[in-house]
Amino acid sequence: MLKMFNLAKMLTIFIYLTSICCFFVTSQNVLSRDILPQNVSSLNTPPQDTSPQDIWYIYEEPIEGLKLYDTRTLKDGTLMIWMAFYDEEDPSCMLSPYFYLRLIERTGRITYINLNYTFTPEVICPINMTFIPLSYNYIMIIYVKSDNGVKGKYGLIINYDSEIISEIYLGNVNDYIIESGRLEKGFIRIEENDKKGIVAWNWLSTLTTGKVVELGSGEFSVPNLLSYTFVNSFNFDLIDGGIGYAYILKYDEMGSSVTNDPNIQYWKIYVSFLREGTYSPTTPSLVYQTTTKLNSLAFKSCF
């Protein structure tokens, strides 16, 4: 049974494992999404299933009322904790227009980022913001805001000293901003596909000054196959720092004279790969096809 600890301030407890970083959160009111160890008998005693190689820390948030909102881990083991004021009964809205981030290194050193920047109500309720780490100790906060009545996606570049470097326009609200998988390889902006399935992309990175520069740009294009129509597309990360882009195509029975051929492939999926350094997508390759007349075909990531 999970144990809850009655504390005046929220404590964030985390364990650095050899290959995986885990954390545990306790507070006066623990949300269902928070994880608590089942065998913790004391805040100063690590769980029984940890090994001697694990590093055990206890973090106490100095600002009263801040609660854990999200986390991510860097490859060097640094834990990034996004703290926020929000109502537990309605976590879709923040109660404060400010950004708080804690960077906790494996050595136990903590960097506090309390950004002196007021985000607009359309950003905080509902929450229309996130963040990604960049190289050279920079962070980009991604959010939606209106400019002359037109909503767009923007990025606020800050450093670890809570200083604002610049604000950049990232594109339409439906565009995707994707980490390339490695900080030194920047991030990728992918536009929403048009009706023909053509998608524009830009590969960007940061300099030592925090300035964002474009490394490459181009388009993903749907394979031109007779009797097939474009249905959908999706992107996914590659472990080498690039991305993959997949296209789902469906056989058009209405536009073809061949309807009784048992070898007809009713669905096909093609994939292109975009890797750092080349900045040119590979020719789409067929990775899946089926003769089954499915009503639909969807992609679910296992990560």
Side-chain angles (χ1 to χ4, degrees):
M1 180 178 179
L2 300 181
K3 293 186 177 181
M4 298 179 60
F5 302 96
N6 185 18
L7 300 177
K9 295 182 179 179
M10 180 170 66
L11 298 179
T12 301
I13 307 170
F14 58 93
I15 305 172
Y16 281 114
L17 302 178
T18 303
S19 59
I20 302 175
C21 179
C22 301
F23 64 93
F24 306 96
V25 177
T26 63
S27 67
Q28 289 180 317
N29 297 294
V30 180
L31 297 179
S32 60
R33 67 181 181 183
D34 294 337
I35 304 173
L36 285 174
Q38 297 185 12
N39 54 358
V40 174
S41 58
S42 170
L43 282 178
N44 296 317
T45 304
Q48 297 174 5
D49 57 355
T50 59
S51 70
Q53 291 79 24
D54 298 336
I55 304 173
W56 174 264
Y57 293 112
I58 295 178
Y59 168 70
E60 182 175 357
E61 171 56 47
I63 300 179
E64 189 76 31
L66 275 181
K67 303 171 185 176
L68 171 71
Y69 184 75
D70 197 7
T71 65
R72 64 175 59 212
T73 308
L74 302 183
K75 292 186 180 297
D76 65 0
T78 299
L79 180 64
M80 309 183 82
I81 305 178
W82 182 5
M83 308 291 287
F85 292 102
Y86 62 89
D87 187 348
E88 293 181 357
E89 296 183 358
D90 184 15
S92 64
C93 290
M94 289 186 180
L95 302 178
S96 170
Y98 304 111
F99 181 77
Y100 303 91
L101 192 67
R102 310 300 183 232
L103 311 179
I104 307 179
E105 301 174 16
R106 288 178 60 89
T107 60
R109 180 177 180 270
I110 302 174
T111 299
Y112 295 89
I113 296 178
N114 300 322
L115 189 63
N116 185 22
Y117 182 89
T118 304
F119 290 95
T120 60
E122 65 182 332
V123 175
I124 63 173
C125 192
I127 300 173
N128 280 316
M129 65 186 300
T130 185
F131 74 94
I132 61 173
L134 302 175
S135 56
Y136 305 112
N137 291 347
Y138 292 104
I139 296 167
M140 182 168 69
I141 305 171
I142 303 168
Y143 54 97
V144 174
K145 78 170 186 177
S146 297
D147 185 11
N148 294 324
V150 179
K151 284 189 175 183
K153 188 166 288 186
Y154 291 80
L156 193 68
I157 312 298
I158 66 173
N159 60 21
Y160 284 10
D161 293 324
S162 303
E163 297 172 333
I164 297 175
I165 307 303
S166 63
E167 182 186 55
I168 62 174
Y169 175 71
L170 294 173
N172 188 279
V173 292
N174 295 320
D175 292 350
Y176 300 94
I177 306 300
I178 303 171
E179 296 178 63
S180 65
R182 299 180 184 178
L183 297 184
E184 67 274 13
K185 294 189 176 183
F187 62 96
I188 304 164
R189 169 185 169 267
I190 300 178
E191 292 185 0
E192 186 179 23
N193 61 262
D194 61 17
K195 293 181 179 180
K196 296 181 179 180
I198 299 176
V199 176
W201 58 267
N202 303 84
W203 198 311
L204 305 110
S205 185
T206 49
L207 302 177
T208 55
T209 59
K211 181 180 179 180
V212 176
V213 295
E214 183 178 273
L215 301 179
S217 62
E219 291 182 342
F220 291 109
S221 298
V222 177
N224 186 16
L225 301 179
L226 294 176
S227 302
Y228 284 86
T229 57
F230 168 73
V231 176
N232 199 1
S233 62
F234 55 87
N235 57 74
F236 53 92
D237 297 337
L238 303 178
I239 60 174
D240 65 353
I243 64 168
Y245 201 86
Y247 318 85
I248 300 178
L249 305 178
K250 183 180 181 181
Y251 183 72
D252 184 7
E253 295 183 83
M254 300 298 295
S256 175
S257 59
V258 181
T259 57
N260 298 321
D261 186 352
N263 297 317
I264 291 177
Q265 304 294 330
Y266 286 96
W267 292 89
K268 294 186 178 217
I269 297 181
Y270 284 80
V271 174
S272 290
F273 298 102
L274 179 63
R275 292 184 172 88
E276 186 264 345
T278 60
Y279 305 121
S280 179
T282 60
T283 301
S285 300
L286 179 66
V287 296
Y288 176 81
Q289 61 183 358
T290 179
T291 57
T292 304
K293 286 188 176 183
L294 303 173
N295 292 327
S296 62
L297 192 64
F299 173 81
K300 294 290 185 180
S301 174
C302 59
F303 296 101

